[in-house]
Amino acid sequence: MQAGFLCIEAGLTRSKNNINVAAKNLVDFFTGTLVFFFVGYGVMYGPSFGGYVGTPGNFLVEDDLFQHAFFFFQLMFATTAVTIISGAIAERVRFKSYIIIAIVVSAIIYPVFGHWVWAGLETGETLGWLGRMGFKDFAGGTVVHSIGGWVALALLLIIGPRIGRFDKNEDGSIQTINGSNLPFASLGVLLLLFGWFGFNGGSLLTLDAHVMEVIINTILGGCGGFIAIVLISSLREEYVSVYSIFNGILVGLVAITPGADVVSHPAAVVIGVVGGVLMLGCTNLLNYYQIDDAIGAIPVHLAGGVWGTLAVALFGDSELLATGLNFQSQLMVQSLGVVVAAFWGFVPSYLVFSLINRLFPMRVTPEQEEIGLNVAEHDASTELISFLSLLDYQVNSGDLSLRSPVEPFTEVGQIASRYNGVMDRLEDK
Amino acid sequence: MQAGFLCIEAGLTRSKNNINVAAKNLVDFFTGTLVFFFVGYGVMYGPSFGGYVGTPGNFLVEDDLFQHAFFFFQLMFATTAVTIISGAIAERVRFKSYIIIAIVVSAIIYPVFGHWVWAGLETGETLGWLGRMGFKDFAGGTVVHSIGGWVALALLLIIGPRIGRFDKNEDGSIQTINGSNLPFASLGVLLLLFGWFGFNGGSLLTLDAHVMEVIINTILGGCGGFIAIVLISSLREEYVSVYSIFNGILVGLVAITPGADVVSHPAAVVIGVVGGVLMLGCTNLLNYYQIDDAIGAIPVHLAGGVWGTLAVALFGDSELLATGLNFQSQLMVQSLGVVVAAFWGFVPSYLVFSLINRLFPMRVTPEQEEIGLNVAEHDASTELISFLSLLDYQVNSGDLSLRSPVEPFTEVGQIASRYNGVMDRLEDK
Amino acid sequence: MQAGFLCIEAGLTRSKNNINVAAKNLVDFFTGTLVFFFVGYGVMYGPSFGGYVGTPGNFLVEDDLFQHAFFFFQLMFATTAVTIISGAIAERVRFKSYIIIAIVVSAIIYPVFGHWVWAGLETGETLGWLGRMGFKDFAGGTVVHSIGGWVALALLLIIGPRIGRFDKNEDGSIQTINGSNLPFASLGVLLLLFGWFGFNGGSLLTLDAHVMEVIINTILGGCGGFIAIVLISSLREEYVSVYSIFNGILVGLVAITPGADVVSHPAAVVIGVVGGVLMLGCTNLLNYYQIDDAIGAIPVHLAGGVWGTLAVALFGDSELLATGLNFQSQLMVQSLGVVVAAFWGFVPSYLVFSLINRLFPMRVTPEQEEIGLNVAEHDASTELISFLSLLDYQVNSGDLSLRSPVEPFTEVGQIASRYNGVMDRLEDK
């Protein structure tokens, strides 16, 4: 899952930031793991205080295979929630601020809400207050994806859009910022799909007869999102945007996540299709309000998670749901969960991160943003940057004949060498 | 498997088309899944009409784990057959034509032939007419790889080679078109190897004692193809082409696919070696007839599949084959299957797609092909393209001093900025 | 695992060599597999001569699932040892010399030492002389990683650093050589992590109750290495180098490898942290002695393996170790194993490869190194190289007006075309 997000996020961001983005995906996984192991897991699954919060700490019992497997599985969910955020706010946040965000989310925000819904899951006795009311979220549409999306939204409002993102082109259209490597991002979509099989299939917590039905529902959800994008593009007679195909597939996968175990195969396709439409709408809404979500995390994870959570009530087989609620009550409980997630995911994040931002500004300086975070945050020079330094030197010295310092060891060095040759000839003439 | 093909195909095609190629790998998977789920699976494994064709529709029974797992596994085969085609005809086909191809292949061409060989596989009672004659194709050397190859050949004859592909260089050699990202393609080869373990290992349909022997045969087949290329290159005292290494490994894997369960380990190596030699021969043949297979799908999948299917009779242990046929009869049945696949894979495809091509031309215009499908089909601009637009503006306006519209937000924007600086200095002088 | 190494090595080397590096990762896997299958496996696990060496040959018994699975698993270890070496000596070794190295290591050096430690592992009866003394190396910290590291060190001393690697910059600092694709390398780190789950989890050779504890220890080791790098960077108030993050994570994973089954979760973090510190120290040491390890294989695999092997005695639960040794004796046996690995990994390699190097020079010529191995070894031209040829032509002919041979089929061809346009305008002025 992390590998998939890494490819997508690094592929959809600009080459001047892609090293930073890729590194952040390692950072959130390893920071999140440490924090979730020592704190978050206890908050989520430790002894519960009335279904509202667990006890921080590490409660893994030695030699208990199931418990360790359950922890490992839950860890993957927790780090996914963090990664969703990193994608949305990419290309402008300080590296160290990002570590703070990962700590806060995996220690508190994610596991507290998780406790409300899933506490007791590992023993089969539901403890969380939302869970006890009959709120169903099979594999984290709300717990993981929406919560991640709401935190991302709060952060986006605090830090603001990337420089130039909403500048108007001459024809009045909005500037688009193009990804550096879309084939890499495509690989990421397939890796995510593969990871999703594990998430949704594994959420049964046992290899029972339904595991393959859940996995097939997962693919069909993705198919629904995909087909929605292709059909809408065809109707509008416009280009089929690759970016939309990615996010169409992903929103379909998110939307099927909360109910993959309780809906029929055709319903899975429908849920994906509606998810695709909502994703496009949400994207337009963000553009309208000039909220700059670098990889579309909010249209995909927030919108998809909300819709999928409601779809559990709309399409779920009540026998399989086994909450004892009728259609209307189930829908109300699902809606309640969605609203609670919105408050918990957005309000405390907005307050805490606003405060942190005032004390330690989260955003890099405009100069750093312009140079790109690869260089500004990691001094991660590339061959190209070496070449740029050479040109800089020429410009500053004004001496074009001074073309000796060619670094002959790289492909770019070889371009530079030929470039110098052409310059010489030009001067001769 | 899809992830592997995506890497290979996007890595071996040019950067102006690589987004389009990567997107197509998503498209064939998700289009193919929908079509195979609702139509193709029934055609292949639905109630049979005399062993000739199954009944379209979805016959998955709820709560049946094995059936759903079987469907999932078969789905992976079906989408692989489609992907093989996409690689061969890359860099020149309209995006929407490609969707039509994916539909036709996964609804009709692939599952009908599959029915002939594998119908009844899930119950153990062979129903297809070829299968009943004793035709053995363990994991799809003919059913998946050859059929994909034949359809690809038909399409290549219809749409013709890429512009400039068979232009002669000054020394009389043929133009080569270089891939954009060979390390990415290398990753694809390893991902495919990994996928192949699943395909061949899973084709036993049970975790029996032979699963690891099959997997070891699979690797050894790849080793054989690999070693053939290295030895031939050494004997000819020429460069070891990376492209040949890729295809040598892959053809070895294809060749061992139909008989991985019935041949000995040393035989697996031999089958791979012969596959490697045939692949080189087939590549030369395609060049001779000016058939432009962008990633070598025909030498790898068609030639490898044909050879591997015959090798089942040549090297297979008759006890393990359990067809009751003697050596000669088995060889004849295998040959018959190969010939039938050629007819079924090639003739109807050629007719159907020729007709479609007349009504809705499959090929992009020469202008679109020159610009590249990234832009022409998806409007997928990249940083580089933004820079090109700037240069275009300079050329058209003739005003070199007009260098202001530098997009400072990308690495390329930074090059542009330095480039402008150098230009200024040049003008000063 | 191979896929992970491929991404890391190709991503951390320069674009003029990255195809060569990626191809080598295929070569060592497929060469190593053939050699290990027919020779090395027997040397390691064949009938033992007094615990010192096994009998070369292939001793897999048909229909024995466990034995074939065990071979497959051991094969992955063997090819990993070879791959470690390939990374260290990247960017300067002849392709064919590299094949020879792969053969020698997977036929003799790796399996002989492996025999000393692990012979008898598959039956539970320890046969190797080091193993019988109580030397513990759970998943190959010494057997795989250190041995690979020592051979790499021997080769680095024989072939010397890359041209220009230790040239001083004007400010006295050492030249750094930047990788071509760090996001690709980041993906590699995650793929390796995933592979490591299989290596360490699988090393129990059975799905027993501890498999998940081992896997969680593995992640926590990586977390330890990661956190060490972040803290040290923060204390020094400098950039967080992405390269260090990669190697910090990896050294943590290596360090936990020999004892993942016998240490507690917090100890796993500590082992990782110490590993991270040692990695940084070892990197400085290599720079001081001007030993040019292209991807940091020695700091990561050699230093990490040595430390992790000693840590087994320092942190291991003696009951779980079950060697019957007290703390001091265990520490001495672990130290003995480390020293023996140093001798066996370094001395014979140094002698054999020195001899081979005298007969068939392993290193490419300086000209080839400058052009890059992509072109020099594989004639693997890329779009960029085609463009360079054009510029060369202009320089040599001195005729700037002669700008016609634009290859219009690639993105670079399109740059060339615009470049020509600008040149025309310039001449006009």
XYZ file of all heavy atoms in Angstrom, chain B residues 18-75:
463
model
N 4.627 7.272 -23.441
C 4.656 6.337 -22.311
C 3.485 6.501 -21.348
O 3.065 5.548 -20.717
C 6.004 6.410 -21.586
C 6.271 7.772 -20.995
O 5.483 8.702 -21.156
N 7.384 7.895 -20.314
N 2.919 7.690 -21.261
C 1.746 7.881 -20.406
C 0.562 7.125 -21.007
O -0.170 6.422 -20.318
C 1.412 9.382 -20.265
C 2.568 10.115 -19.580
C 0.111 9.577 -19.505
C 2.397 11.616 -19.524
N 0.420 7.263 -22.332
C -0.642 6.563 -23.036
C -0.518 5.055 -22.858
O -1.497 4.352 -22.594
C -0.559 6.951 -24.522
C -1.543 6.201 -25.384
O -1.206 5.174 -25.951
N -2.770 6.694 -25.464
N 0.699 4.550 -22.971
C 0.922 3.109 -22.844
C 0.593 2.633 -21.428
O -0.067 1.611 -21.240
C 2.381 2.765 -23.216
C 2.711 1.329 -22.824
C 2.613 2.971 -24.700
N 1.035 3.405 -20.439
C 0.753 3.024 -19.056
C -0.751 3.056 -18.789
O -1.306 2.149 -18.158
C 1.487 3.953 -18.098
N -1.417 4.091 -19.303
C -2.866 4.200 -19.103
C -3.586 3.018 -19.726
O -4.543 2.482 -19.161
C -3.381 5.510 -19.693
N -3.107 2.587 -20.907
C -3.750 1.455 -21.572
C -3.687 0.193 -20.722
O -4.567 -0.656 -20.794
C -3.072 1.191 -22.914
C -3.594 2.071 -24.018
C -2.882 1.755 -25.315
C -3.415 2.627 -26.432
N -2.521 2.566 -27.608
N -2.626 0.069 -19.935
C -2.527 -1.102 -19.081
C -3.543 -1.066 -17.951
O -3.962 -2.117 -17.463
C -1.113 -1.222 -18.515
C -0.210 -1.981 -19.447
O -0.271 -3.182 -19.511
N 0.575 -1.251 -20.214
N -3.917 0.129 -17.525
C -5.019 0.222 -16.567
C -6.331 -0.076 -17.272
O -7.192 -0.796 -16.756
C -5.068 1.619 -15.940
C -3.857 2.020 -15.105
C -4.009 3.446 -14.592
C -3.672 1.079 -13.931
N -6.466 0.492 -18.484
C -7.708 0.346 -19.231
C -7.998 -1.109 -19.542
O -9.123 -1.577 -19.370
C -7.621 1.165 -20.536
C -8.715 0.744 -21.501
C -7.694 2.640 -20.218
N -7.002 -1.853 -19.987
C -7.334 -3.224 -20.357
C -7.668 -4.052 -19.131
O -8.517 -4.925 -19.186
C -6.282 -3.874 -21.265
C -4.931 -3.987 -20.635
O -4.848 -4.363 -19.475
O -3.946 -3.723 -21.332
N -7.035 -3.730 -18.010
C -7.372 -4.490 -16.817
C -8.807 -4.218 -16.373
O -9.580 -5.141 -16.126
C -6.408 -4.175 -15.667
C -6.711 -4.978 -14.447
C -6.357 -6.310 -14.383
C -7.391 -4.425 -13.373
C -6.654 -7.080 -13.270
C -7.700 -5.189 -12.257
C -7.333 -6.517 -12.211
N -9.190 -2.951 -16.306
C -10.511 -2.640 -15.758
C -11.629 -2.884 -16.776
O -12.700 -3.371 -16.415
C -10.545 -1.223 -15.182
C -9.752 -1.119 -13.908
C -8.451 -0.648 -13.893
C -10.289 -1.558 -12.711
C -7.714 -0.596 -12.719
C -9.565 -1.513 -11.529
C -8.269 -1.023 -11.531
N -11.367 -2.580 -18.056
C -12.353 -2.930 -19.082
C -12.502 -4.442 -19.157
O -13.618 -4.984 -19.117
C -11.902 -2.405 -20.464
O -11.644 -1.015 -20.375
C -12.956 -2.684 -21.515
N -11.367 -5.123 -19.247
C -11.378 -6.579 -19.356
C -12.089 -7.229 -18.178
O -12.832 -8.203 -18.343
N -11.892 -6.685 -16.987
C -12.532 -7.260 -15.796
C -14.048 -7.175 -15.896
O -14.765 -8.162 -15.671
C -12.057 -6.524 -14.536
O -10.662 -6.751 -14.394
C -12.783 -7.022 -13.306
N -14.543 -5.988 -16.239
C -15.999 -5.819 -16.354
C -16.576 -6.773 -17.384
O -17.568 -7.467 -17.129
C -16.329 -4.380 -16.773
C -16.563 -3.369 -15.673
C -17.026 -2.059 -16.272
C -17.610 -3.879 -14.667
N -15.945 -6.813 -18.563
C -16.462 -7.635 -19.658
C -16.355 -9.111 -19.325
O -17.295 -9.885 -19.553
C -15.697 -7.311 -20.964
C -16.102 -8.271 -22.079
C -15.942 -5.860 -21.374
N -15.224 -9.514 -18.767
C -15.040 -10.922 -18.452
C -15.994 -11.358 -17.337
O -16.526 -12.460 -17.354
C -13.582 -11.181 -18.055
C -13.212 -12.642 -18.013
C -13.080 -13.372 -19.181
C -12.986 -13.279 -16.800
C -12.736 -14.727 -19.144
C -12.652 -14.634 -16.758
C -12.528 -15.352 -17.932
N -16.216 -10.449 -16.383
C -17.134 -10.782 -15.285
C -18.542 -11.017 -15.805
O -19.182 -12.021 -15.472
C -17.143 -9.663 -14.241
C -18.029 -9.952 -13.062
C -17.587 -10.764 -12.023
C -19.315 -9.443 -12.989
C -18.400 -11.060 -10.940
C -20.137 -9.739 -11.902
C -19.675 -10.539 -10.879
N -19.033 -10.096 -16.639
C -20.436 -10.171 -17.044
C -20.669 -11.063 -18.270
O -21.768 -11.557 -18.467
C -21.005 -8.765 -17.290
C -21.245 -7.996 -16.028
C -20.426 -6.936 -15.661
C -22.274 -8.354 -15.162
C -20.640 -6.236 -14.477
C -22.491 -7.660 -13.981
C -21.670 -6.607 -13.634
N -19.641 -11.254 -19.101
C -19.831 -12.020 -20.333
C -18.816 -13.163 -20.478
O -19.172 -14.339 -20.520
C -19.743 -11.102 -21.575
C -19.973 -11.918 -22.849
C -20.723 -9.952 -21.469
N -17.538 -12.798 -20.548
C -16.500 -13.745 -20.951
C -16.406 -14.987 -20.079
O -16.222 -16.102 -20.587
N -16.556 -14.817 -18.777
C -16.412 -15.965 -17.889
C -17.480 -17.023 -18.186
O -17.196 -18.221 -18.174
C -16.483 -15.521 -16.426
C -16.248 -16.639 -15.457
C -14.986 -17.202 -15.310
C -17.286 -17.149 -14.673
C -14.755 -18.242 -14.417
C -17.063 -18.184 -13.772
C -15.795 -18.728 -13.651
O -15.567 -19.753 -12.783
N -18.677 -16.540 -18.481
C -19.746 -17.473 -18.844
C -19.450 -18.171 -20.163
O -19.658 -19.380 -20.305
N -18.927 -17.421 -21.135
C -18.577 -18.009 -22.427
C -17.531 -19.107 -22.230
O -17.529 -20.128 -22.913
C -18.037 -16.921 -23.382
C -17.467 -17.542 -24.649
C -19.129 -15.906 -23.709
N -16.639 -18.907 -21.265
C -15.528 -19.839 -21.071
C -15.912 -21.013 -20.167
O -15.601 -22.151 -20.469
C -14.343 -19.083 -20.486
C -13.034 -19.845 -20.493
S -11.649 -18.692 -20.571
C -10.275 -19.788 -20.196
N -16.594 -20.694 -19.055
C -16.862 -21.754 -18.075
C -18.345 -21.963 -17.771
O -18.689 -22.770 -16.917
C -16.106 -21.468 -16.779
C -14.618 -21.601 -16.920
C -13.795 -20.484 -16.985
C -14.033 -22.864 -17.005
C -12.421 -20.615 -17.119
C -12.666 -23.008 -17.141
C -11.869 -21.885 -17.198
O -10.521 -22.023 -17.339
N -19.215 -21.231 -18.473
C -20.641 -21.441 -18.279
C -21.072 -22.774 -18.898
O -20.285 -23.415 -19.603
N -22.318 -23.177 -18.677
C -22.829 -24.430 -19.246
C -22.478 -24.534 -20.722
O -22.725 -23.619 -21.496
C -24.347 -24.307 -19.038
C -24.485 -23.430 -17.828
C -23.335 -22.472 -17.888
N -21.897 -25.659 -21.119
C -21.305 -25.788 -22.457
C -22.307 -26.292 -23.489
O -23.107 -27.184 -23.213
C -20.130 -26.765 -22.374
O -19.567 -26.946 -23.655
N -22.220 -25.712 -24.694
C -22.946 -26.259 -25.835
C -22.014 -27.217 -26.561
O -21.242 -26.796 -27.428
C -23.411 -25.135 -26.771
C -24.434 -24.232 -26.150
C -24.070 -22.999 -25.623
C -25.773 -24.629 -26.073
C -25.016 -22.170 -25.044
C -26.724 -23.801 -25.500
C -26.344 -22.568 -24.980
N -22.021 -28.460 -26.197
C -21.249 -29.495 -26.886
C -19.748 -29.300 -26.883
O -19.046 -29.806 -27.763
N -19.232 -28.550 -25.910
C -17.784 -28.363 -25.868
C -17.300 -27.267 -26.785
O -16.092 -27.057 -26.927
N -18.234 -26.541 -27.453
C -17.819 -25.517 -28.403
C -17.901 -24.102 -27.849
O -17.126 -23.231 -28.200
C -18.605 -25.645 -29.707
C -18.258 -26.935 -30.391
C -19.116 -28.026 -30.368
C -17.007 -27.085 -31.003
C -18.761 -29.234 -30.947
C -16.641 -28.296 -31.591
C -17.515 -29.358 -31.556
O -17.134 -30.538 -32.113
N -18.896 -23.850 -27.004
C -19.001 -22.510 -26.427
C -19.855 -22.588 -25.152
O -20.781 -23.399 -25.073
C -19.585 -21.501 -27.442
C -21.033 -21.838 -27.779
C -19.462 -20.080 -26.927
N -19.493 -21.750 -24.176
C -20.274 -21.693 -22.947
C -21.379 -20.656 -23.071
O -21.526 -19.999 -24.100
N -22.138 -20.512 -22.022
C -23.268 -19.595 -22.030
C -22.847 -18.261 -21.411
O -22.415 -18.249 -20.256
C -24.416 -20.180 -21.186
O -24.526 -21.561 -21.492
C -25.719 -19.458 -21.463
N -22.987 -17.167 -22.169
C -22.601 -15.868 -21.586
C -23.416 -15.580 -20.339
O -24.554 -16.040 -20.206
C -22.944 -14.858 -22.684
C -23.139 -15.639 -23.919
C -23.519 -17.027 -23.521
N -22.859 -14.806 -19.449
C -23.563 -14.468 -18.214
C -22.681 -14.768 -17.022
O -21.579 -15.289 -17.160
N -23.210 -14.461 -15.848
C -22.432 -14.604 -14.632
C -23.006 -15.749 -13.804
O -24.147 -15.704 -13.372
C -22.474 -13.286 -13.855
C -21.869 -13.428 -12.498
O -21.081 -14.345 -12.258
N -22.253 -12.543 -11.609
N -22.199 -16.807 -13.633
C -22.711 -17.995 -12.968
C -22.045 -18.261 -11.627
O -21.963 -19.390 -11.173
C -22.547 -19.205 -13.886
C -23.346 -19.077 -15.145
C -22.783 -18.564 -16.295
C -24.688 -19.419 -15.154
C -23.529 -18.425 -17.451
C -25.440 -19.292 -16.310
C -24.864 -18.782 -17.458
N -21.538 -17.205 -11.002
C -20.900 -17.410 -9.712
C -21.960 -17.652 -8.648
O -22.915 -16.889 -8.531
C -20.065 -16.186 -9.320
C -18.843 -15.911 -10.196
C -18.148 -14.635 -9.746
C -17.881 -17.078 -10.136
N -21.794 -18.708 -7.892
C -22.748 -19.023 -6.832
C -22.261 -18.377 -5.537
O -21.085 -18.480 -5.190
C -22.855 -20.547 -6.646
C -23.784 -20.864 -5.478
C -23.345 -21.192 -7.933
N -23.175 -17.705 -4.850
C -22.816 -17.056 -3.590
C -22.223 -18.036 -2.585
O -22.599 -19.199 -2.585
C -24.075 -16.429 -2.969
C -24.029 -14.903 -2.980
C -25.285 -14.339 -2.368
O -25.412 -14.401 -1.140
O -26.143 -13.848 -3.152
N -21.350 -17.542 -1.767
C -20.785 -18.317 -0.649
C -19.897 -19.474 -1.083
O -19.510 -20.295 -0.259
C -21.894 -18.899 0.266
C -22.707 -17.785 0.884
O -22.174 -16.678 1.015
O -23.870 -18.029 1.219
N -19.607 -19.552 -2.389
C -18.749 -20.637 -2.841
C -17.337 -20.091 -2.996
O -16.999 -19.457 -3.984
C -19.285 -21.190 -4.169
C -18.501 -22.405 -4.619
O -17.290 -22.486 -4.321
O -19.103 -23.280 -5.270
N -16.477 -20.353 -2.010
C -15.136 -19.791 -2.005
C -14.346 -20.233 -3.223
O -13.745 -19.429 -3.922
C -14.395 -20.194 -0.725
C -12.933 -19.728 -0.667
C -12.839 -18.218 -0.696
C -12.247 -20.270 0.573
N -14.354 -21.546 -3.490
C -13.536 -22.053 -4.586
C -13.915 -21.396 -5.905
O -13.053 -20.968 -6.664
C -13.662 -23.579 -4.714
C -12.941 -24.109 -5.911
C -11.560 -24.262 -5.884
C -13.623 -24.423 -7.074
C -10.874 -24.734 -7.001
C -12.945 -24.886 -8.197
C -11.572 -25.045 -8.153
N -15.235 -21.296 -6.142
C -15.669 -20.730 -7.416
C -15.212 -19.282 -7.583
O -14.783 -18.875 -8.656
C -17.189 -20.805 -7.497
C -17.662 -21.300 -8.837
C -19.164 -21.370 -8.882
O -19.847 -20.393 -8.582
N -19.673 -22.508 -9.245
N -15.315 -18.510 -6.509
C -14.880 -17.121 -6.608
C -13.369 -17.029 -6.789
O -12.870 -16.193 -7.539
C -15.328 -16.328 -5.376
C -16.771 -15.936 -5.433
N -17.787 -16.770 -5.035
C -17.377 -14.806 -5.869
C -18.959 -16.168 -5.223
N -18.737 -14.981 -5.723
N -12.641 -17.880 -6.088
C -11.190 -17.885 -6.245
C -10.823 -18.279 -7.670
O -9.943 -17.696 -8.290
C -10.552 -18.850 -5.246
N -11.528 -19.275 -8.188
C -11.276 -19.733 -9.559
C -11.545 -18.598 -10.553
O -10.772 -18.359 -11.469
C -12.152 -20.949 -9.861
C -11.883 -21.564 -11.194
C -10.746 -22.320 -11.405
C -12.760 -21.381 -12.254
C -10.485 -22.899 -12.653
C -12.515 -21.947 -13.498
C -11.378 -22.705 -13.696
N -12.663 -17.895 -10.344
C -12.961 -16.762 -11.219
C -11.849 -15.730 -11.168
O -11.386 -15.234 -12.196
C -14.279 -16.079 -10.829
C -14.435 -14.733 -11.481
C -14.786 -14.634 -12.824
C -14.172 -13.559 -10.779
C -14.887 -13.406 -13.446
C -14.272 -12.328 -11.398
C -14.631 -12.256 -12.731
N -11.406 -15.382 -9.978
C -10.364 -14.370 -9.805
C -9.103 -14.768 -10.568
O -8.505 -13.971 -11.291
C -10.055 -14.218 -8.312
C -9.022 -13.184 -8.007
C -9.325 -11.830 -8.109
C -7.755 -13.548 -7.606
C -8.377 -10.867 -7.820
C -6.797 -12.592 -7.315
C -7.101 -11.259 -7.421
N -8.743 -16.029 -10.414
C -7.549 -16.552 -11.059
C -7.709 -16.500 -12.584
O -6.817 -16.053 -13.315
C -7.353 -17.989 -10.563
C -6.035 -18.569 -10.892
C -4.864 -18.028 -10.377
C -5.950 -19.681 -11.718
C -3.634 -18.588 -10.693
C -4.719 -20.239 -12.023
C -3.567 -19.687 -11.517
N -8.856 -16.910 -13.081
C -9.122 -16.902 -14.519
C -9.143 -15.474 -15.065
O -8.756 -15.217 -16.200
C -10.455 -17.590 -14.823
C -10.411 -19.086 -14.579
C -9.402 -19.781 -15.476
O -9.237 -19.407 -16.631
N -8.702 -20.765 -14.937
N -9.618 -14.552 -14.228
C -9.647 -13.153 -14.637
C -8.238 -12.652 -14.927
O -8.006 -11.914 -15.888
C -10.286 -12.326 -13.509
C -10.263 -10.821 -13.666
C -11.070 -10.406 -14.891
C -10.836 -10.156 -12.424
